[in-house]
Amino acid sequence: RVERTPCQVQYRLPDREAGAESQTKTPAPLEYQEERDTGTGYKKKTRLLIRLMSRRLLQEIQNRELAGMEVWCLDEMRVGLRTDLGRVITLAGVKPIGAHQHRFLYRYIYGAINVNTGDHEFIEAEACNGDFFQAFLWQIARQQPMLLKVVVLDNAGFHRRKDLVVPPNILLLFLPPYTPELNPMERFWQEIRRELKGQNFDTLDQLSEKIEQYICNLDRIAVCQTVGYPVYRTAIEVCQDMACVI
């Protein structure tokens, strides 16, 4: 049986003993079990993220001298020749008509954005795996190598591969499970989807040129407004206060 609550789904498993009351068990990853807090929804998740960032950065501050710190958000997106559909404005009762193609050829975009300055790095790849992710991390690390880059990312399997070599000036901060709304890159991908909405491309190269043109014309202020989530500004302020105390 499934019992739905406002914030989660709980599975009630009946006890084997006859007449015993059913037990409610909510599984959670071990590394986040001790981080449970009162409250529900987005506020609870943001408090959890701030605590995780503060704890990890406190260890880094104690272990080495830092010339500065930046917070980057990282994610991957798949794009292809299949037409992206979306809403358009029409007269009442008028159904919009447009060309649509079913062609399942894809490429992947790796993206990372500095949530404070709007600096960004992107690469295009033919697959989404650990090898391309490794190369992308080194590309980020070469930008101002004296600064510590806190890279916020999800829990994809190739993000945690055992043979991954993390550059010395990068600290990977994994989001809590099932919290894509805390990754600002998800919001940025929506802007690219909106740019590609309703357009058809004959080849993947044409699609790549369109995306490259959009990225090259990005304005840093507009990017900051897109990815500048308040939770990261709060986390940065907390970490800066910790650095001053230490």
Side-chain angles (χ1 to χ4, degrees):
R1 294 182 297 170
V2 179
E3 177 184 350
R4 295 187 179 274
T5 64
C7 62
Q8 62 185 355
V9 177
Q10 296 181 345
Y11 296 87
R12 301 183 64 85
L13 304 178
D15 193 67
R16 293 184 177 181
E17 299 181 1
E21 296 182 357
S22 60
Q23 300 177 351
T24 301
K25 296 184 179 181
T26 305
L30 294 177
E31 58 183 312
Y32 297 106
Q33 286 183 356
E34 61 180 7
E35 296 290 349
R36 292 178 180 176
D37 191 8
T38 58
T40 59
Y42 185 78
K43 292 184 178 180
K44 178 180 178 181
K45 295 176 182 178
T46 54
R47 287 195 294 267
L48 172 59
L49 179 60
I50 292 174
R51 287 201 302 271
L52 291 175
M53 288 187 65
S54 302
R55 180 178 301 181
R56 292 292 306 277
L57 287 175
L58 179 60
Q59 298 175 357
E60 295 297 322
I61 292 173
Q62 294 175 344
N63 294 335
R64 57 180 174 177
E65 296 182 358
L66 302 177
M69 179 187 65
E70 296 178 337
V71 177
W72 291 66
C73 54
L74 182 148
D75 197 29
E76 301 85 17
M77 181 183 70
R78 187 180 71 173
V79 294
L81 298 183
R82 185 175 181 270
T83 306
D84 284 330
L85 301 180
R87 295 183 177 182
V88 295
I89 299 176
T90 63
L91 297 176
V94 177
K95 185 176 182 179
I97 299 176
H100 186 272
Q101 64 180 4
H102 291 269
R103 299 182 61 190
F104 301 97
L105 297 176
Y106 299 102
R107 286 181 181 173
Y108 296 85
I109 300 176
Y110 294 70
I113 297 179
N114 187 324
V115 299
N116 286 336
T117 64
D119 294 336
H120 46 270
E121 294 290 336
F122 293 92
I123 64 171
E124 182 182 291
E126 297 179 354
C128 193
N129 55 35
D131 295 334
F132 288 108
F133 175 65
Q134 176 77 81
F136 188 51
L137 285 182
W138 285 105
Q139 178 174 329
I140 299 174
R142 286 192 291 268
Q143 305 298 326
Q144 296 182 340
M146 298 302 297
L147 298 179
L148 174 66
K149 295 175 175 57
V150 181
V151 179
V152 180
L153 68 169
D154 57 28
N155 294 270
F158 60 87
H159 290 167
R160 293 177 173 268
R161 58 185 295 182
K162 295 182 179 180
D163 58 345
L164 181 67
V165 179
V166 181
N169 63 332
I170 285 184
L171 174 65
L172 299 181
L173 179 66
F174 294 98
L175 291 169
Y178 312 111
T179 56
E181 65 274 17
L182 295 182
N183 192 341
M185 283 302 299
E186 299 288 351
R187 177 67 181 84
F188 181 80
W189 296 141
Q190 293 179 8
E191 297 297 325
I192 293 185
R193 294 290 187 189
R194 184 178 292 109
E195 185 70 18
L196 302 176
K197 181 180 65 175
Q199 299 188 40
N200 297 320
F201 301 93
D202 296 331
T203 63
L204 288 174
D205 292 336
Q206 293 181 1
L207 175 62
S208 300
E209 291 177 2
K210 178 65 176 180
I211 297 176
E212 182 180 0
Q213 181 182 2
Y214 177 82
I215 293 176
C216 292
N217 294 331
L218 286 175
D219 180 64
R220 290 187 178 183
I221 297 178
V223 173
C224 289
Q225 293 175 351
T226 302
V227 302
Y229 285 15
V231 58
Y232 291 102
R233 290 197 296 267
T234 303
I236 292 173
E237 293 175 357
V238 172
C239 296
Q240 289 176 347
D241 294 341
M242 292 167 46
C244 293
V245 172
I246 295 177

